[in-house]
């Protein structure tokens, strides 16, 4: 299998560069890649307004928004209602005048202390009483907004503002509590809605078909042979427990029990041979995903899939080559594997076990 180092992708496979990109930076998503990454592959694949790009693991819509910026139609799915909300708000076409009016109105909402605040122990640890009161007040005001696009726009602003006004610190796979001075939710929210509006006014994006829905990559709701290109990044093996990291957002804004979210790739633990059970379950699920991708891709479709190695106390599991083999068995041609970066896999945070690659697996449906 052809492995090639590609230094230029080192930062692009991370979310960091998005920090400086309007709209892309509306919600920080550590698990995402950057706009620059999608640009590289839209250009390499020569995508245009007649192509359809699929991202079956949409995250916060980096692929979808970049496609929209380039006038390329796209469709995307994610199992997480939180990230789908973020993606939708970032990629919708707005009536700017109407939105401007709504933002002005929301900026004038007069705070009224709510009768009740959540009793949840976790929420009480990561928010001050005042922050929780603000969140509950704004949440109720936003729920009254009739227009779905405006309601979602304000909801995203509130979710982000709440997290900025919390003591939560997302540290890898954990959320730590760091008691520090935080800005009031009211202030962050008002600033945020004005900034989001400003970004949209500047962006002047052309309407292009962009669909993002809740869906499972193991069962993609698309016709056979309908997709020209896939630019995506599945969850990394044994890396992120999404349900834990985003539990605050879910507890506050999505009336959804945690268990319902455990349909994530690799979360069905089964008993297998020589790999940790979680890795076996992961590759079983990824086989289902690759089969679905084969089904929905047109002949000659090209795919760029970012993936990282798995770190286990027993050693490193190479995911890029294993995924490429799975794809090949299904019928894809493996063009090459571009190695974007290498990280140490460690035990107890300090003992080095081995190096893990973060790579882009390039495939073609021949
Ligand atoms: C690595 S992130 C993708 C980030 C994205 N490229 C971005 O820039 O925002 C993987 C995503 O896959 C989603 N996911 C996990 N299991 C899934 C499944 N079975 N079907 C669809 N999405 C899934 C997670 O919710 C997460 O948002």
């Amino acid at each position: 299998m052809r492995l090639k180092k590609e230094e230029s992708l080192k930062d692009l496979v991370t979310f960091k560069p998005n920090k400086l990109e309007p709209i892309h930076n509306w919600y920080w998503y550590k698990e995402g890649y950057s706009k620059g990454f999608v640009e590289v592959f839209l250009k390499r694949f020569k995508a245009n307004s007649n192509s359809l790009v699929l991202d079956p693991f949409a995250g916060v819509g980096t692929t979808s928004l970049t496609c929209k910026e380039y006038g390329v139609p796209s469709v995307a799915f994610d199992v997480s209602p939180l990230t789908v909300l973020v993606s939708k708000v970032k990629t919708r076409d707005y009536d700017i005048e109407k939105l401007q009016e709504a933002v002005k109105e929301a900026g004038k909402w007069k705070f009224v202390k709510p009768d009740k605040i959540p009793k949840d122990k976790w929420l009480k640890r990561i928010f001050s009483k005042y922050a929780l009161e603000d969140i509950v007040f704004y949440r109720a005001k936003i729920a009254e907004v009739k227009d779905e696009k405006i309601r979602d726009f304000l909801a995203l602003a509130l979710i982000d503002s709440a997290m900025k006004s919390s003591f939560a610190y997302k540290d890898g796979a954990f959320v730590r509590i760091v008691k520090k001075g935080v800005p009031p939710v009211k202030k962050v929210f008002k600033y945020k809605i004005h900034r989001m509006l400003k970004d949209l006014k500047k962006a002047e994006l052309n309407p292009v078909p962009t669909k993002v829905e809740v869906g499972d990559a193991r069962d993609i709701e698309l016709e056979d042979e309908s997709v020209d290109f896939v630019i995506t990044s599945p969850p990394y093996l044994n890396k992120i427990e999404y349900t834990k990291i985003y539990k605050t957002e879910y507890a506050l804004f999505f009336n959804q029990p945690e268990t319902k979210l455990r349909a994530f790739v690799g979360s069905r633990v089964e008993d297998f041979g020589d790999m940790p059970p979680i890795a076996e379950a992961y590759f079983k699920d990824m086989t289902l995903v690759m089969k679905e991708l084969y089904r929905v891709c047109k002949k000659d479709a090209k795919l760029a899939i970012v993936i990282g190695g798995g770190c286990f106390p027993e050693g490193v599991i190479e995911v890029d080559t294993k995924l490429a083999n799975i794809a090949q068995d299904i019928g894809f041609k493996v063009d090459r594997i571009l190695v974007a970066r290498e990280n140490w896999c460690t035990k107890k945070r300090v003992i080095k076990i081995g190096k893990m690659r973060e790579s882009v697996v390039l495939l073609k449906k021949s």
Side-chain angles (χ1 to χ4, degrees), residues 11 25 31 34 36 41 48 57-58 60 93 102 119 145 154 166 187-188 226 249 266-267 311 313 320 333 345 351 365:
D11 288 333
N25 62 12
E31 297 73 34
S34 64
F41 289 96
N48 59 39
F57 297 101
V60 291
D93 298 312
K119 292 211 163 44
V145 174
L154 296 171
S166 78
K187 201 171 159 190
V188 187
S226 52
E249 288 89 327
S267 59
C311 179
D320 50 5
K333 184 176 166 294
C345 159
I351 307 162
K365 177 169 172 181

Side-chain angles (χ1 to χ4, degrees), residues 253-267:
F253 302 103
F254 297 86
N255 222 352
Q256 191 159 20
E258 248 187 72
T259 45
K260 230 186 143 190
L261 282 163
R262 289 189 186 271
F264 286 10
V265 166
S267 59

Side-chain angles (χ1 to χ4, degrees), residues 9-260:
L9 295 176
K10 194 173 174 205
D11 288 333
L12 298 185
V13 295
T14 74
F15 198 71
K16 245 188 242 152
N18 279 354
K19 229 179 175 168
L20 301 173
E21 295 290 343
I23 310 183
H24 286 275
N25 62 12
W26 282 359
Y27 186 80
W28 175 257
Y29 197 56
K30 194 171 169 288
E31 297 73 34
Y33 46 50
S34 64
K35 165 182 169 164
F37 176 81
V38 182
E39 280 174 331
V40 167
F41 289 96
L42 285 179
K43 283 180 195 160
R44 276 196 203 183
F45 293 164
K46 298 195 171 66
N48 59 39
S49 57
N50 296 317
S51 320
L52 181 65
V53 173
L54 163 67
D55 185 350
F57 297 101
V60 291
T62 311
T63 298
S64 311
L65 179 57
T66 312
C67 283
K68 186 168 180 184
E69 287 166 334
Y70 275 75
V72 178
S74 68
V75 52
F77 303 96
D78 200 291
V79 279
S80 158
L82 167 66
T83 66
V84 169
L85 173 87
V86 178
S87 300
K88 279 189 170 172
V89 173
K90 282 160 72 176
T91 56
R92 270 174 176 151
D93 298 312
Y94 293 92
D95 176 336
I96 293 288
E97 269 176 32
K98 215 168 150 190
L99 188 64
Q100 185 160 329
E101 210 34 58
V103 163
K104 207 168 140 195
E105 196 58 35
K108 287 193 284 190
W109 284 340
K110 278 259 161 297
F111 175 73
V112 181
K113 196 173 156 193
D115 300 335
K116 272 195 227 154
I117 57 168
K119 292 211 163 44
D120 184 301
K121 273 192 195 144
W122 169 252
L123 294 178
K124 283 188 160 172
R125 282 178 70 200
I126 72 155
F127 291 108
S128 70
K129 178 175 158 277
Y130 304 107
L132 268 180
E133 283 174 357
D134 278 356
I135 294 166
V136 171
F137 165 74
Y138 279 118
R139 199 176 58 181
K141 290 297 281 182
I142 292 170
E144 284 169 15
V145 174
K146 297 245 158 30
D147 184 313
E148 188 191 2
K149 285 188 187 179
I150 293 174
R151 194 169 61 238
D152 288 351
F153 178 94
L154 296 171
L156 168 58
L158 179 60
I159 294 171
D160 188 61
S161 309
M163 296 318 294
K164 288 204 169 88
S165 305
S166 78
F167 304 127
Y169 176 73
K170 288 175 184 154
D171 182 13
F174 304 97
V175 180
R176 279 197 291 129
I177 293 180
V178 182
K179 293 273 177 184
K180 57 180 176 185
V182 288
V185 177
K186 285 187 198 74
K187 201 171 159 190
V188 187
F189 177 74
K190 284 182 189 170
Y191 172 78
K192 177 96 191 173
I193 52 179
H194 283 102
R195 216 205 72 205
M196 284 168 67
L197 178 66
K198 210 167 151 189
D199 283 350
L200 281 177
K201 279 184 177 167
K202 267 201 191 149
E204 288 177 1
L205 294 171
N206 291 322
V208 48
T210 308
K211 182 178 147 180
V212 190
E213 294 297 339
V214 171
D216 191 325
R218 294 167 295 188
D219 184 13
I220 302 172
E221 277 184 38
L222 284 179
E223 302 266 305
D224 295 0
E225 310 206 349
S226 52
V227 167
D228 296 281
F229 306 110
V230 175
I231 302 176
T232 196
S233 173
Y236 290 6
L237 171 58
N238 204 21
K239 188 77 187 294
I240 299 284
E241 183 39 291
Y242 293 89
T243 51
K244 284 205 181 87
I245 304 182
Y246 297 98
K247 74 171 180 183
T248 312
E249 288 89 327
Y250 278 100
L252 277 174
F253 302 103
F254 297 86
N255 222 352
Q256 191 159 20
E258 248 187 72
T259 45
K260 230 186 143 190

